[in-house]
Amino acid sequence: MSRIAGRFQALAEQGRKALVTYVVAGDPTPEVTAELLHTLVANGADILELGVPFSDPMSEGPTIQLGHERALDSGMRLRGVLELVRQFRETDKDTPLLLMGYANPVEYMGYAAFADAASEAGVDALLTVDVPPEEVDQVNAQLKRVGMDNIFLIAPTTPDPRLPLIAGQASGFIYYVSLKGVTGAGHLDVDDVRRQVERIRAHTTLPVAVGFGIKDADSAEAVAKVADGVVVGSALVQRVADVLAQGESSEAAITAAGALVQEIRAGIDRTTS
Amino acid sequence: MTSEINPEQYASVPDAQGRFGDYGGKFVAETLMSALAELEALYRRLADDAEFQREFDEDMAHYVGRPSPLYEARRWSDQTGGARIFLKREDLNHTGAHKVNNTVGQALLAKHMGKKRVIAETGAGQHGVASATIAARLGLECHVFMGEEDVRRQALNVYRMKLLGAEVIPVTSGSRTLKDAMNEAMRDWVTNVDDTFYIIGTVAGPHPYPMLVRDFQCVIGREARAQSLAQTGKLPDALVACVGGGSNAIGLFHPFLPDESVAMYGVEAGGHGVETGQHAAPLTAGIPGVLHGNRTYLMQDEDGQIIHTHSVSAGLDYPGVGPEHSWLKDIGRVNYVAANDDEALAAFHKLTRIEGIMPALETAHALAYAEKLAAQMTPDQQIIVNLSGRGDKDILTVAEIDGIEL
């Protein structure tokens, strides 16, 4: 069983929901990310999602775009991201970790070379925003070869006939994008999320995590009631950026991120059955 | 390699997945997949619909002013001393460039889909102006995304768009040019996909855009082919067009692809020189990858990051290229070459002074290469250059380069 499947199963047995946290690797420096990952876990993150910086992050809102720009300025590239994961795995062998990014850096490295390097570094899964199931055959073949999961997005605009197509290619969990839009946008409609998660569950037994628009303990609690996991990204990236923009130290920023995760964890755990 | 291609194959691309060989496809976020499928289904239905074609043809004739002339540039040909050079005068279209052929077509699609709002990305501003124009005529709300750097160097077009009622949104991310405008337009589309039609300005982007933009632009090549036969009794020996995203080039080339005797040259922006790395010539010096919804040749570094491009012309300042061009390069049907900033500027001045036709700086790249090509050919041979746009919008840029304050 993959680390991701194992984590969802263990949480389900405890009647708990998963907290997935997203940060951009290298934002604002590789050193901060290296420490931040452990802090996220210590404060209640179940699954780590690490953004791979890209020059053209087309699906990101302003908050995460700036994160990508800061990370690129710090010199972070796909190879550096894998090195960060390798370091992380020296002391944490249990927390599932997935990479989220865009097709081109992976395509340039080569799918086979990426799969080998990523699995060796300790990456559990890949989520490529701009690779829908229609384009995924080559990359999926390589991920399967090394036992990595491939995480797919499902959107409010995904029509029913596409659900089996996506479910058939996905493993680990399904990431439901709760809004039409870019990351960090808009307001959450929890009733709609509930209906959508039910719609997805009719086609898959994989856990369903929900992201986009979750900012705090209350929104996390609301989503955790209807899904298997909650993804927090922009709020976290913003918190770190805000503290640093005030001239505070990176330790202070990491502590602030940890506090936000703790708060969101508490919100999610109010749903523990 | 050309001999392996059956001429009928040119009409059969893209395939059902939107691929031209290994290129093209639909590399977008899941949120957009159903909108693309809807657009494709509508387009496939309307492309064969006589009434839709009649609407398009009528607009081409009475709104755009087609057919555009095929003009023989005799003085320029004489001075060059080689082949006869003909100019396909897309600069005489309403709004001053070939872009309007596509925006009229896509706006008709938007109308059939009942969309009330259109968005567009623009580099030089020609596509933005053409989008704002058709939006004004159809009463659609229009938002145009334009890199901040391009807003500065194409101030006249920015004001034209505003006069036409469009809102121009300066894009401040990344290199602040065309690629970043396209990123921002994609972000808008993903957010407002229910009521918004995205008018992509070139033969790039996710399927079905490279196909439908090509089809709308093919009016250029169909006319040029018929005009060449009518005016000279034969087909041209060579075609030359500039390539940024590649819509004017594909529009001219595509109807001639099965004509094996016709050589084709796509001219990319060589910037300060391809050898300097400061250019916008992905087919000449790039590597295939995935950007803006399709797999194609890209300017990228050894980590798969898209690198900054440079060209004196905003409309060619783009790190990718339409996927059909990537395929035509690989199979050897079209030759892709580059002209530098300096060569383009010289050609801009030359055509203006010799023929009284002021070309866009984008177009001037094609002219610069055509002159070299013509000199190596004989007077019984003929070249058609796509004069894709007029140069009024570039006057301030040229004056600045020449050190003249207006």
Side-chain angles (χ1 to χ4, degrees):
Chain A
M1 185 184 292
S2 74
R3 274 197 199 99
I4 291 175
R7 179 59 58 105
F8 272 104
Q9 188 178 325
L11 287 165
E13 283 163 7
Q14 299 161 26
R16 299 174 74 211
K17 302 300 174 72
L19 171 55
V20 183
T21 57
Y22 171 96
V23 293
V24 184
D27 170 25
T29 65
E31 295 72 29
V32 167
T33 307
E35 201 182 326
L36 185 55
L37 292 177
H38 291 295
T39 304
L40 298 173
V41 174
N43 285 281
D46 296 302
I47 297 174
L48 297 173
E49 191 180 347
L50 198 49
V52 179
F54 184 49
S55 50
D56 295 81
M58 274 175 297
S59 293
E60 314 299 346
T63 299
I64 294 180
Q65 278 177 52
L66 288 172
H68 280 248
E69 286 184 15
R70 288 188 296 264
L72 289 171
D73 287 345
S74 81
M76 183 57 69
R77 302 290 186 271
L78 180 53
R79 282 169 242 267
V81 177
L82 297 179
E83 184 50 39
L84 260 181
V85 176
R86 186 192 316 280
Q87 283 173 31
F88 173 77
R89 282 278 174 248
E90 283 171 10
T91 48
D92 187 328
K93 303 214 183 301
D94 303 323
T95 307
L97 185 150
L98 66 114
L99 300 187
M100 177 173 183
Y102 294 81
N104 202 53
V106 175
E107 170 136 337
Y108 190 91
M109 184 179 276
Y111 297 141
F114 168 79
D116 286 333
S119 88
E120 198 192 315
V123 175
D124 298 297
L126 177 68
L127 193 173
T128 326
V129 182
D130 53 351
V131 182
E134 285 82 349
E135 304 287 355
V136 85
D137 288 355
Q138 288 173 306
V139 66
N140 241 6
Q142 295 300 329
L143 296 181
K144 285 204 174 98
R145 179 175 62 78
V146 299
M148 274 170 65
D149 287 319
N150 196 347
I151 313 298
F152 280 87
L153 301 174
I154 288 178
T157 55
T158 304
D160 284 341
R162 283 183 63 78
L163 293 175
L165 174 71
I166 298 171
Q169 297 278 9
S171 59
F173 65 94
I174 296 276
Y175 186 139
Y176 175 65
V177 174
S178 62
L179 301 164
K180 277 169 262 184
V182 292
T183 50
H187 293 285
L188 204 58
D189 177 347
V190 177
D191 284 335
D192 185 56
V193 171
R194 177 189 295 113
R195 282 191 296 273
Q196 294 278 4
V197 171
E198 282 167 10
R199 187 168 77 96
I200 294 165
R201 284 193 171 131
H203 294 274
T204 182
T205 55
L206 288 174
V208 180
V210 176
F212 284 37
I214 296 153
K215 298 174 164 65
D216 51 25
D218 289 344
S219 50
E221 179 187 1
V223 168
K225 280 181 183 159
V226 299
D228 303 301
V230 174
V231 188
V232 182
S234 295
L236 206 47
V237 171
Q238 187 71 56
R239 178 66 62 96
V240 173
D242 284 348
V243 175
L244 291 174
Q246 287 158 14
E248 304 268 346
S249 66
S250 53
E251 287 72 27
I254 291 166
T255 305
L260 178 62
V261 169
Q262 214 171 72
E263 194 187 310
I264 289 170
R265 174 86 257 170
I268 293 171
D269 284 347
R270 291 202 286 264
T271 67
T272 302
S273 53
Chain B
M1 276 190 288
T2 314
S3 58
E4 295 165 20
I5 297 289
N6 174 345
E8 285 171 20
Q9 192 179 334
Y10 298 117
S12 70
V13 292
D15 67 13
Q17 278 75 48
R19 297 214 178 87
F20 304 84
D22 291 336
Y23 303 104
K26 279 192 209 181
F27 292 87
V28 295
E30 175 60 26
T31 309
L32 294 176
M33 289 301 284
S34 64
L36 290 172
E38 188 192 352
L39 176 60
E40 184 183 354
L42 176 86
Y43 178 69
R44 290 206 186 270
R45 182 164 62 74
L46 291 179
D48 295 328
D49 180 87
E51 174 57 20
F52 180 79
Q53 284 306 325
R54 193 195 56 74
E55 262 184 290
F56 180 71
D57 292 345
E58 198 161 281
D59 276 356
M60 287 294 110
H62 302 298
Y63 190 64
V64 175
R66 303 203 71 93
S68 66
L70 183 68
Y71 164 77
E72 181 168 9
R74 289 206 176 85
R75 270 193 92 207
W76 188 37
S77 302
D78 287 347
Q79 293 198 8
T80 304
R84 295 167 70 187
I85 306 171
F86 293 77
L87 305 176
K88 180 60 175 162
R89 298 290 308 274
E90 293 298 300
D91 59 318
L92 295 178
N93 293 339
H94 181 40
T95 73
H98 72 288
K99 293 291 187 188
V100 71
N101 303 327
N102 168 49
T103 59
V104 165
Q106 290 198 46
L108 283 177
L109 295 177
K111 198 178 85 176
H112 278 267
M113 291 174 110
K115 306 280 187 184
K116 300 285 178 236
R117 177 175 180 266
V118 294
I119 55 171
E121 84 294 337
T122 198
Q126 292 301 103
H127 175 60
V129 167
S131 298
T133 298
I134 195 69
R137 175 163 167 252
L138 296 178
L140 302 170
E141 186 186 338
C142 180
H143 288 179
V144 179
F145 295 91
M146 189 167 186
E148 199 179 46
E149 169 68 13
D150 293 336
V151 168
R152 186 191 65 76
R153 56 182 170 174
Q154 299 291 344
L156 284 176
N157 270 344
V158 171
Y159 188 55
R160 284 170 84 193
M161 288 184 265
K162 287 180 182 166
L163 288 173
L164 288 160
E167 189 177 330
V168 178
I169 300 151
V171 175
T172 56
S173 57
S175 58
R176 305 175 183 207
T177 59
L178 180 53
K179 91 173 164 72
D180 309 285
M182 198 153 178
N183 289 337
E184 212 52 43
M186 288 278 204
R187 289 176 188 128
D188 183 293
W189 196 33
V190 86
T191 306
N192 302 299
V193 62
D194 290 338
D195 72 342
T196 296
F197 188 101
Y198 181 14
I199 303 182
I200 293 185
T202 190
V203 284
H207 180 64
Y209 282 100
M211 172 179 73
L212 64 88
V213 176
R214 173 197 71 194
D215 292 353
F216 291 135
Q217 292 292 2
C218 274
V219 65
I220 303 171
R222 280 197 306 272
E223 284 177 8
R225 197 172 182 285
Q227 288 166 324
S228 181
L229 290 171
Q231 293 171 218
T232 73
K234 59 179 190 172
L235 290 175
D237 299 283
L239 305 174
V240 182
C242 65
V243 177
S247 69
N248 91 77
I250 213 81
L252 177 64
F253 295 169
H254 198 266
F256 289 94
L257 287 173
D259 299 314
E260 284 181 19
S261 66
V262 181
M264 301 183 190
Y265 300 86
V267 187
E268 295 191 297
H272 294 314
V274 170
E275 69 287 352
T276 66
Q278 296 186 322
H279 57 85
L283 291 167
T284 308
I287 296 163
V290 173
L291 181 70
H292 291 154
N294 64 104
R295 181 178 284 122
T296 193
Y297 278 86
L298 297 174
M299 306 247 318
Q300 54 178 320
D301 67 15
E302 66 282 5
D303 292 300
Q305 304 289 337
I306 307 307
I307 54 181
H308 287 199
T309 52
H310 167 79
S311 172
V312 69
S313 70
L316 301 183
D317 209 348
Y318 181 66
V321 63
E324 191 162 8
H325 286 292
S326 294
W327 178 66
L328 291 170
K329 171 190 160 74
D330 282 8
I331 65 172
R333 179 65 185 94
V334 179
N335 305 290
Y336 293 93
V337 295
N340 297 350
D341 286 353
D342 292 346
E343 295 172 311
L345 283 161
F348 170 90
H349 285 297
K350 194 162 201 176
L351 196 76
T352 304
R353 294 297 292 269
I354 293 179
E355 294 287 349
I357 297 171
M358 190 178 294
L361 282 177
E362 291 76 21
T363 312
H365 289 73
L367 297 167
Y369 186 78
E371 189 170 25
K372 286 193 220 173
L373 182 68
Q376 297 160 14
M377 294 167 70
T378 53
D380 62 323
Q381 293 184 299
Q382 298 172 187
I383 296 176
I384 296 177
V385 184
N386 198 359
L387 202 86
S388 53
R390 70 182 182 210
D392 309 46
K393 70 181 174 58
D394 294 314
I395 289 175
L396 292 174
T397 304
V398 173
E400 194 179 311
I401 290 168
D402 290 345
I404 294 162
E405 211 168 303
L406 296 180

